[in-house]
Amino acid sequence: QIVAFQAKELKEIEDKYAEYKYRMNELNKQIEELQNRLSELEKRNLTYPQHTVMLKDTIEKEFEKRRINSRVYILAELLEVTDEKWINAVEGYMGNNKLLLIVEPAYAKIAMNIYQEMDKGRFYKAAVLDTEKVMEQNMAAKENSLAKEVIAKEPHVRAYIDFFLGNVQKCESIEELRECKIGITSDCVLYHSFRLQHINPDNYTRRAYIGETSMRQRISQLEQRLQKLSDERIPLQKEMAEIEKILEMEMLSLPTADYMEWLNDMEQLPAKERRRKQLLEKMKQLKDESVESWERRRDELIAALTEKR
């Protein structure tokens, strides 16, 4: 099939291809970014350290013996972060503090006494929060602090978050960090005690525990967004493939009528080839008939000559 393009038409096709290519590149960037974020979330180890779990179990069993009807929590279980942008900063700055064991303020002293009697060599990395004393602090978090990004429903948990994160200022640049006593950026650069330092990435990747439920929800949401972007790519890929086929065709410079004449000649070739074969067969037939006639005539002459002798 002959397709003739004018220069203007070709330019329009090329412009459309460039537009599709730009959209495809943008989709690929978004997909790659989401895949990286999803990979980071999936790498997070939601299995708490053994010493933390054992201490939690021990305090719970002691509470049961003493008929104390109160649950024991790991701090990370009771926290959520409102803005995904700042979750790594919260995880990173809190470090092992997010593994503190939490009990109601009325039972904090009992929990600490239980902990004090446990093996120092096995449980020195675990800790119990004195929620009773925390509640006495009555400390308000600063408006632009990291504490404002954390949801904590229990009053004693809220009090600790305001105490621990209430002075940590959210910053966007080195200049802003240097204006704070304690400041942090969303990519986990910390300014503290006149010192600038990157937070250990393990604290917000491999040892990230805050908001297990919300983490699962974020994974699900990212997977849905990835699927949606992948679906958007399919028709775009088809359109680009079609345009690529068109662009591979040589642009025709002669008048269209010339190419149509060639096309007509090409279409007539099979019929002409059949006619040529028919003529060749006819010529062969005529030749064969002519040879046979001459041979008969020759035989007749030879016979006549033989008789005269």
Side-chain angles (χ1 to χ4, degrees), residues 157-256:
V157 178
R158 179 76 261 167
Y160 178 70
I161 292 300
D162 289 345
F163 162 76
F164 193 74
L165 300 178
N167 286 322
V168 184
Q169 296 293 297
K170 296 183 296 180
C171 300
E172 300 292 340
S173 64
I174 295 292
E175 289 72 19
E176 287 186 31
L177 286 170
R178 297 184 69 197
E179 295 298 320
C180 308
K181 288 184 178 180
I182 308 175
I184 194 168
T185 61
S186 59
D187 58 349
C188 298
V189 177
L190 175 67
Y191 186 78
H192 194 317
S193 303
F194 305 107
R195 182 182 68 185
L196 187 73
Q197 182 179 12
H198 288 284
I199 293 176
N200 184 351
D202 282 351
N203 285 342
Y204 53 85
T205 54
R206 193 166 57 88
R207 293 194 294 267
Y209 301 105
I210 291 176
E212 180 177 350
T213 301
S214 63
M215 193 182 299
R216 296 300 182 195
Q217 290 174 345
R218 291 201 302 276
I219 289 175
S220 177
Q221 289 170 356
L222 285 176
E223 288 174 340
Q224 290 175 14
R225 289 171 62 186
L226 268 174
Q227 186 60 52
K228 182 179 179 183
L229 291 177
S230 299
D231 291 343
E232 286 181 23
R233 274 198 315 192
I234 295 173
L236 202 55
Q237 288 171 332
K238 290 181 179 179
E239 290 290 342
M240 290 181 68
E242 290 299 320
I243 293 179
E244 286 170 358
K245 288 179 182 178
I246 293 173
L247 292 176
E248 285 174 359
M249 298 177 182
E250 183 179 355
M251 191 174 77
L252 307 179
S253 55
L254 296 176
T256 304

Side-chain angles (χ1 to χ4, degrees), residues 8 46 51-52 60 64 69 80 86 97 120 141 144 173-174 204 212 234 255 260 277 282 306:
K8 180 180 178 182
L46 295 177
H51 55 264
T52 300
E60 285 177 338
E64 287 179 10
N69 187 22
E80 296 288 346
W86 291 100
N97 290 285
K120 296 178 183 179
N144 192 45
S173 64
I174 295 292
Y204 53 85
E212 180 177 350
I234 295 173
M260 296 307 296
K277 288 181 178 179
K282 185 64 176 177
T306 301

Side-chain angles (χ1 to χ4, degrees), residues 1-4 252 254-268:
Q1 184 179 2
I2 298 295
V3 180
L252 307 179
L254 296 176
T256 304
D258 291 352
Y259 296 104
M260 296 307 296
E261 184 178 346
W262 293 353
L263 178 61
N264 185 56
D265 290 342
M266 291 169 62
E267 289 174 345
Q268 292 181 11

Side-chain angles (χ1 to χ4, degrees), residues 46-81:
L46 295 177
T47 304
Y48 295 110
Q50 186 178 16
H51 55 264
T52 300
V53 175
M54 289 181 65
L55 177 58
K56 180 176 181 290
D57 291 343
T58 301
I59 295 174
E60 285 177 338
K61 289 175 182 177
E62 286 296 322
F63 275 14
E64 287 179 10
K65 290 179 183 178
R66 304 179 192 202
R67 297 185 179 179
I68 296 174
N69 187 22
S70 180
R71 291 190 61 184
V72 182
Y73 292 95
I74 296 171
L75 179 57
E77 298 173 330
L78 303 174
L79 304 178
E80 296 288 346
V81 177

Side-chain angles (χ1 to χ4, degrees), residues 39-147:
S39 178
E40 285 184 7
L41 285 176
E42 289 174 339
K43 286 178 185 175
R44 293 186 171 186
N45 181 12
L46 295 177
T47 304
Y48 295 110
Q50 186 178 16
H51 55 264
T52 300
V53 175
M54 289 181 65
L55 177 58
K56 180 176 181 290
D57 291 343
T58 301
I59 295 174
E60 285 177 338
K61 289 175 182 177
E62 286 296 322
F63 275 14
E64 287 179 10
K65 290 179 183 178
R66 304 179 192 202
R67 297 185 179 179
I68 296 174
N69 187 22
S70 180
R71 291 190 61 184
V72 182
Y73 292 95
I74 296 171
L75 179 57
E77 298 173 330
L78 303 174
L79 304 178
E80 296 288 346
V81 177
T82 55
D83 188 347
E84 190 176 328
K85 175 182 176 180
W86 291 100
I87 188 168
N88 286 351
V90 173
E91 290 268 14
Y93 187 83
M94 292 195 72
N96 288 334
N97 290 285
K98 59 197 170 212
L99 297 176
L100 287 170
L101 292 183
I102 306 295
V103 299
E104 294 178 43
Y107 307 110
K109 185 177 179 180
I110 297 174
M112 288 189 290
N113 286 335
I114 295 169
Y115 174 68
Q116 187 179 15
E117 297 300 321
M118 297 181 72
D119 186 348
K120 296 178 183 179
R122 295 180 63 189
F123 295 99
Y124 70 93
K125 290 183 179 181
V128 178
L129 180 66
D130 188 350
T131 50
E132 183 180 11
K133 287 295 183 181
V134 166
M135 287 295 289
E136 294 175 3
Q137 298 301 309
N138 194 27
M139 179 178 177
K142 293 180 180 178
E143 189 57 36
N144 192 45
S145 69
L146 206 53

